[in-house]
Amino acid sequence: MTEPTTLLAKTPADPRPPRRRAVGRDALHGAVRDHLADGGGVLLTGPPGIGRTTVVSRLTRELGDRGHRILRCSPSPSERDSPFLGLIDLLAAVGDDVLARLGSHERAVLEGALLRSTPPAGTDPTGGRDALVLRVAVRKVLTLLADTGPLLLVVDDAQWLDAPTAEILVFLARRAGPGPAVLVALRTDGHGHEADARPGPSAARPGELGSAQARELCPRPVLTVPAPPMTVRETAELLDGHDEPVWPRPLLARLHRTGGGNPRTVLELSSALGEHVRVTGGTLPDLAEPLPVPESLRRPVLDRIDALPASARQALVTASAAVRPTVELLQRAGCYHASADIDTCVRHGILQAPDHGTITFLDPLTPMVLQAETPYELRINAHRALADATDDAVERAHHLARFTEGPDSAVAARLADAATAARRRGAPGTAARLGRLAAEHTPADETGVDTDRRLTAAEDGLDAGDLDFARQLAYEVLGDAERPADRVRAWNVVVDSCGQAMSEITDVFPEAMRDAGRDPGLLAQLHYRMSWREWMVGGSAARAHGHAVRATGLAARTGDRRTELLALTQQAALELFLGFPEAEETLAAALAEPHDVYAMTHHNGPIYLKHRFHLVHDELDEARNELRTLVYTLRQRGSADCLSQCLIGLAQVEIQRGRCRQALTIARQSLRIAEQAGLSQGPAWYAVSLAETAGGSLSQALAAAEAARQHSEDDDDRLFLPRALHAEGRVRLFSGQSAQAAELLRRTGEMETAQGQRDPATRRWHADLAEALARSGATDEADAVITRARFQAGRLGRSGVVATLDRAAAAVSEARGELDAAAAGFEDAAARLHAARYPMEEARTRLALGRVRRRLGDAGASQAAFTEALRIYTRAGARTGVSVVRAERDRVEDGPIRLPDGGSWSESLSPTERNVVARVAQGATNREIAAGLVLSVKTVEAALTRAYRKLGAKSRVEITRIVMARSTA
């Protein structure tokens, strides 16, 4: 196996991210949309290129879909001196029939300002009485338009709005009473600060509106929102959409970080990087090298720097070379006037005001440009001065390496010691960088030392989540290493760097096994990893268990306690999954002394697995305590992968405990860590989907589940793919799409059963599948699922699982029309779930009970069940559950909805109409539905119109109530 050298070749850890609907800015869109829907004003700020206009366009489309009439203007720099040009654009779509309803003088003044007619002699709409007449006329026109439906005024690039139009909008904003909503987008300076917030080169130019004036254009209440930077995932989607190269994930993260999440800046950096790669024959910049900065981005930075005095420029150069620059450090490094120089840089918009002496560059491009433009000798002098000035061994070693050329045994040793110190501090990324420098400075005659340092740096890179860096060093070792131990260690790095995508390394294990020979210690490490591959790729827990048992025995024989503990943990996890009674004993052996710190804090170690044993015994609080302690430790000193996985587990526990808001926050943290570290994202998206289903929105949950499935399929990860399918199936089940849910959950069950699952408490899909089958008419198949799962759960004493199966059995009775039996079953299941302290499952059961009681004609019992479900969901912060229960409760109060003959809302609809109606019930807009179903908006509107007629509905609210009734009403 050789290392791939083609720049754009897709490697296992670097697949092109699939195109998906961006969800990172949805919170912003939702807040702004809701505020504007209530008739307020919104000021959207952001630097050039951040995507203000894109946000404005999406918001206007969404509000347009919801019935708003949009009046928009987008002035340019050349238009700010043209009076009323903004007003002309705003009212361009207003017909003469509306103006005809004004008084004669008002109409004449307004038409003159709009250049639709010659103004009467002597009128001056820019001043005096006629200016007031014009403002009153504009207000009357907007009032006439607002009488026919909600109205939104949009001013994009407000900094260039002409003064007379701005005065009219200020007049309108200050008037009492209802008026149009107003959305104003304002360009701020290049660092996201308000353009008029401080003096200097970035301040608003004369004649341009600053943020204070732009805010006056908006009616009260005013919501000021900065346009957020892109996430790493959105950066990948942006580059993908512009046909940019497929950069490795660490390089993609650098582009995102260097560009500050600004779309325009990132695109320019990517283009410059692509040109650099072409010129150098396909060579990617080393991690220690700065990215190439194009002239369009470099020149503004240099212009700001050139305006500084010499001493301030020297302070900037020194600060850019420092690891953690402070005013005190710069003073010790020879910048004797550092305090005054930093103040100068702050006034020029280059640095932030120091926080407790810490210096921060406003633009991440500035230190890169400084390092590229500063003569080599001056850079070396800065590193030498900083090495003398710092009292931190890690930072001193960093600077020492910068001004030391060629092999140097003493310098290499100091760098290796610094790497060890960084590792102990919980900074594996710093340790990896210093370790590689130590290897590069190691003399050629210290071959074994050089190899060990490279491999140690690679392992630190794994812990830091820098998988490409780790893989690169591993292949360097494999290129010249001869010792079997070194080669197997390098192969282990290659395997571990693939994350969930182990299907791409089929040819690694045969080569690694040949290198291991008959060495039991090396074979133990490989059999442990082969166990994971057999489970994830081979789809067989039984065969994976055989590898784990062999790894455990070999590691114990050779005294490799770390591998023994990890293999024991894997063995225990597989035995739990397979329903083996010895699983508890195996876990106890893994938890017994002597301990290994690495294994005990790893997400594949016994402490993490212990929480899963708590979960199968319905010990939620104990599981949470285990994970919280582990997460705290990992936040201090742990790998990105371990922290992300532990947060995924904690999010799932919090959902079960009825803490949905906390679960959503934790799941999003896990995804953010996975994105930033370039890890496989399938598991994190799975957790986000579960959390969104519980505490967010079903549309977001569906998008996350689809992302989880796509990532798992891309990685050929059979371990997480059934979980992703389960998450998607749950969303569709809760959305009333029972047939689709049943199909997804069938696949889940088939895959899990084929892998050998015999403990239904390890993957709790059985009750969901049975309910989906029952609601789609397959009651006999649902019965079979329940019978098998109940036998397994009863044999192992899984009372929590049995309670959810009882609910599913009640759903089967309901589907068969046995309402009394269904009500009794739901009552019993709710009581058992309450006793087991599963609030979300209890609330779901009481919701089902309320529906059945309503069908039995017992309005009081139905209302009581809905009230209790609402209480539980509200306390848990379960937004989806709250909205569903309220809709059902209101149906009891308003009386039943008449469904089409046949009882099911979907029977009279075409497939397209059913899909559209289901997504309307989830709260999706017409444009979101069109994007999700790959239809035009007009097609969606036509399908919805037909569905209204067929269902006898008059609004989206009634559509939702009808869907919630399903076939049970």
Side-chain angles (χ1 to χ4, degrees):
M1 182 175 182
T2 58
E3 179 185 13
T5 56
T6 305
L7 166 65
L8 304 186
K10 295 183 182 180
T11 62
D14 183 38
R16 179 185 286 271
R19 296 189 184 189
R20 303 183 185 90
R21 181 173 62 86
V23 296
R25 297 189 178 191
D26 279 355
L28 168 100
H29 291 130
V32 172
R33 187 177 58 243
D34 293 345
H35 190 83
L36 291 173
D38 293 336
V42 173
L43 175 60
L44 178 69
T45 65
I50 196 65
R52 297 184 317 280
T53 298
T54 302
V55 173
V56 168
S57 297
R58 175 177 167 182
L59 286 166
T60 54
R61 284 197 306 270
E62 291 176 352
L63 289 169
D65 286 344
R66 296 187 177 197
H68 279 67
R69 180 168 183 171
I70 312 297
L71 303 180
R72 180 171 180 172
C73 69
S74 301
S76 65
S78 61
E79 297 172 353
R80 65 174 179 260
D81 295 325
S82 301
F84 301 117
L85 196 52
L87 184 65
I88 292 171
D89 288 342
L90 278 173
L91 301 184
V94 178
D96 292 339
D97 58 322
V98 178
L99 272 58
R101 299 170 67 181
L102 300 175
S104 59
H105 186 60
E106 292 171 340
R107 178 178 180 181
V109 172
L110 179 56
E111 289 184 339
L114 298 178
L115 302 182
R116 296 189 185 184
S117 66
T118 302
T123 60
D124 179 14
T126 62
R129 183 175 181 273
D130 289 331
L132 179 59
V133 171
L134 176 62
R135 296 172 187 178
V136 171
V138 172
R139 190 182 186 209
K140 287 184 177 180
V141 167
L142 297 180
T143 300
L144 291 170
L145 295 175
D147 287 341
T148 63
L151 182 64
L152 173 66
L153 304 185
V154 178
V155 182
D156 196 8
D157 281 324
Q159 68 278 358
W160 294 317
L161 186 66
D162 63 273
T165 299
E167 291 168 0
I168 291 174
L169 293 178
V170 170
F171 171 84
L172 296 173
R174 291 176 177 174
R175 302 278 71 77
V182 178
L183 171 61
V184 176
L186 178 75
R187 183 202 67 180
T188 56
D189 70 17
H191 314 300
H193 296 267
E194 295 180 351
D196 59 343
R198 61 169 189 274
S202 301
R205 298 184 182 91
E208 291 186 9
L209 268 70
S211 62
Q213 296 94 327
R215 188 178 175 86
E216 292 297 316
L217 305 179
C218 303
R220 303 299 187 266
V222 183
L223 175 67
T224 301
V225 182
M230 297 184 299
T231 63
V232 176
R233 176 178 50 80
E234 289 169 336
T235 299
E237 292 171 352
L238 173 75
L239 298 178
D240 184 27
H242 284 76
D243 294 324
E244 288 290 313
V246 184
W247 303 118
R249 286 174 177 166
L251 197 52
L252 179 68
R254 288 185 68 193
L255 283 170
H256 170 263
R257 184 170 57 252
T258 303
N262 184 298
R264 183 188 302 169
T265 303
V266 168
L267 282 171
E268 293 191 46
L269 285 171
S270 179
S271 296
L273 180 58
E275 180 62 26
H276 166 81
V277 170
R278 283 188 288 272
V279 170
T280 58
T283 302
L284 293 173
D286 187 84
L287 293 174
E289 299 177 49
L291 295 175
V293 180
E295 180 66 17
S296 60
L297 298 176
R298 193 168 57 90
R299 177 45 50 194
V301 174
L302 291 176
D303 288 344
R304 287 196 295 270
I305 294 171
D306 290 344
L308 298 173
S311 62
R313 289 199 298 272
Q314 179 191 351
L316 274 184
V317 170
T318 307
S320 69
V323 177
R324 287 189 295 271
T326 63
V327 174
E328 181 184 358
L329 177 63
L330 265 57
Q331 289 171 337
R332 293 203 304 266
C335 300
Y336 302 113
H337 305 291
S339 182
D341 291 333
I342 296 306
D343 287 343
T344 301
C345 294
V346 170
R347 289 196 302 274
H348 280 74
I350 298 173
L351 299 175
Q352 285 184 358
D355 181 15
H356 301 290
T358 301
I359 298 168
T360 304
F361 286 89
L362 283 171
D363 187 347
L365 287 174
T366 302
M368 289 180 55
V369 172
L370 271 170
Q371 290 295 301
E373 298 294 327
T374 302
Y376 174 77
E377 189 60 35
L378 292 180
R379 294 203 313 270
I380 294 303
N381 289 341
H383 283 294
R384 185 174 286 111
L386 288 166
D388 293 336
T390 185
D391 54 6
D392 183 90
V394 173
E395 292 186 25
R396 186 179 300 111
H398 163 82
H399 295 299
L400 183 64
R402 290 294 182 269
F403 62 80
T404 301
E405 295 184 5
D408 187 312
S409 184
V411 170
R414 292 184 66 176
L415 286 165
D417 290 342
T420 300
R423 193 178 307 113
R424 288 172 179 165
R425 292 177 183 176
T430 301
R433 177 171 48 81
L434 292 171
R436 185 186 60 169
L437 288 172
E440 290 174 352
H441 284 84
T442 301
D445 58 355
E446 299 180 22
T447 306
V449 176
D450 166 77
T451 298
D452 179 71
R453 286 171 176 167
R454 287 186 188 278
L455 289 171
T456 302
E459 290 160 353
D460 286 329
L462 288 177
D463 285 342
D466 199 339
L467 307 183
D468 292 271
F469 169 88
R471 192 182 305 109
Q472 175 187 345
L473 287 180
Y475 278 113
E476 288 178 7
V477 170
L478 289 168
D480 53 30
E482 296 181 358
R483 291 179 63 240
D486 293 333
R487 295 188 62 81
V488 171
R489 188 178 170 192
W491 286 125
N492 288 339
V493 170
V494 173
V495 173
D496 294 347
S497 69
C498 290
Q500 307 297 122
M502 294 189 76
S503 64
E504 303 292 341
I505 54 171
T506 303
D507 52 347
V508 164
F509 285 104
E511 294 194 41
M513 292 292 283
R514 280 194 295 271
D515 284 333
R518 296 185 177 182
D519 187 314
L522 301 180
L523 289 172
Q525 298 169 22
L526 293 175
H527 277 288
Y528 167 68
R529 288 166 174 82
M530 289 165 72
S531 173
W532 276 108
R533 187 181 184 281
E534 194 60 59
W535 199 3
M536 295 173 65
V537 182
S540 171
R543 290 195 298 270
H545 180 257
H547 283 292
V549 170
R550 188 167 184 189
T552 298
L554 291 169
R557 212 170 89 198
T558 58
D560 181 356
R561 184 59 174 166
R562 175 174 299 180
T563 301
E564 181 187 4
L565 290 179
L566 292 173
L568 273 170
T569 303
Q570 175 76 336
Q571 181 182 334
L574 288 160
E575 289 168 354
L576 180 66
F577 183 80
L578 292 165
F580 291 177
E582 61 265 32
E584 300 272 1
E585 294 179 8
T586 306
L587 177 63
L591 290 167
E593 295 183 352
H595 294 155
D596 175 85
V597 174
Y598 178 88
M600 301 306 281
T601 56
H602 199 276
H603 70 276
N604 290 328
I607 296 294
Y608 179 80
L609 182 61
K610 188 178 178 182
H611 98 272
R612 291 186 177 171
F613 277 76
H614 283 307
L615 289 179
V616 301
H617 293 304
D618 304 322
E619 298 167 346
L620 300 185
D621 290 343
E622 291 83 348
R624 177 176 181 263
N625 292 338
E626 295 285 0
L627 283 175
R628 288 191 68 189
T629 302
L630 191 53
V631 165
Y632 176 81
T633 302
L634 291 171
R635 287 192 191 280
Q636 307 304 312
R637 53 180 69 197
S639 72
D641 192 14
C642 288
L643 179 56
S644 177
Q645 292 291 341
C646 286
L647 288 172
I648 289 170
L650 184 57
Q652 293 177 73
V653 172
E654 294 291 25
I655 292 169
Q656 291 178 301
R657 295 179 69 248
R659 295 165 57 88
C660 299
R661 285 185 292 269
Q662 293 88 337
L664 192 53
T665 299
I666 293 167
R668 287 170 176 167
Q669 286 178 7
S670 172
L671 177 61
R672 189 159 54 247
I673 291 168
E675 288 179 338
Q676 292 173 348
L679 303 170
S680 299
Q681 295 175 24
W685 276 116
Y686 162 74
V688 171
S689 177
L690 296 181
E692 286 283 359
T693 302
S697 72
L698 290 182
S699 60
Q700 293 282 60
L702 182 60
E706 290 171 344
R709 175 165 53 85
Q710 184 66 61
H711 278 286
S712 297
E713 289 174 343
D714 290 345
D715 292 338
D716 195 18
D717 180 359
R718 300 187 189 182
L719 187 57
F720 259 97
L721 178 57
R723 301 188 213 183
L725 294 170
H726 182 197
E728 185 176 349
R730 280 171 59 88
V731 176
R732 296 195 182 278
L733 176 61
F734 295 164
S735 302
Q737 302 170 44
S738 301
Q740 291 171 279
E743 184 59 33
L744 289 162
L745 292 166
R746 273 195 192 100
R747 286 186 61 195
T748 299
E750 289 166 0
M751 293 185 71
E752 296 277 28
T753 302
Q755 288 180 23
Q757 185 194 16
R758 296 295 181 271
D759 186 342
T762 57
R763 308 273 198 275
R764 303 192 182 202
W765 47 265
H766 308 75
D768 290 330
L769 171 57
E771 183 174 336
L773 291 169
R775 298 200 182 283
S776 58
T779 54
D780 290 343
E781 185 181 352
D783 256 343
V785 170
I786 294 169
T787 299
R788 287 194 301 270
R790 183 176 276 143
F791 172 77
Q792 293 171 343
R795 176 176 65 87
L796 297 167
R798 308 305 192 215
S799 57
V801 172
V802 172
T804 61
L805 293 172
D806 288 344
R807 181 187 61 226
V812 172
S813 297
E814 180 187 4
R816 289 171 172 165
E818 302 165 356
L819 300 186
D820 288 327
F826 285 132
E827 287 275 14
D828 182 61
R832 296 182 65 180
L833 288 166
H834 177 78
R837 300 174 65 187
Y838 282 103
M840 295 293 288
E841 296 291 348
E842 180 191 353
R844 178 178 167 186
T845 306
R846 294 194 182 280
L847 171 60
L849 174 62
R851 289 171 176 152
V852 171
R853 288 295 184 193
R854 180 183 60 222
R855 293 182 67 186
L856 287 168
D858 191 345
S862 175
Q863 187 75 348
F866 287 139
T867 299
E868 182 61 14
L870 182 60
R871 183 191 68 79
I872 298 171
Y873 276 140
T874 301
R875 183 176 180 181
R879 291 173 52 194
T880 299
V882 167
S883 63
V884 171
V885 174
R886 282 177 174 167
E888 293 286 359
R889 182 194 60 186
D890 292 345
R891 287 186 60 211
V892 174
E893 295 174 350
D894 297 343
I897 290 178
R898 179 177 176 79
L899 289 173
D901 292 340
S904 172
W905 65 267
S906 61
E907 288 180 1
S908 63
L909 305 182
S910 70
T912 298
E913 291 163 358
R914 283 198 296 271
N915 286 330
V916 168
V917 166
R919 297 201 176 205
V920 166
Q922 295 175 31
T925 66
N926 289 356
R927 190 166 294 278
E928 289 173 339
I929 296 169
L933 297 178
V934 197
L935 301 172
S936 70
V937 175
K938 288 186 178 180
T939 300
V940 171
E941 291 171 347
L944 188 55
T945 298
R946 294 193 301 270
Y948 277 143
R949 184 177 65 253
K950 292 178 180 180
L951 296 176
K954 297 179 180 179
S955 69
R956 298 173 89 92
V957 173
E958 288 191 14
I959 284 284
T960 302
R961 291 173 59 198
I962 289 172
V963 171
M964 292 305 176
R966 301 189 181 99
S967 62
T968 62

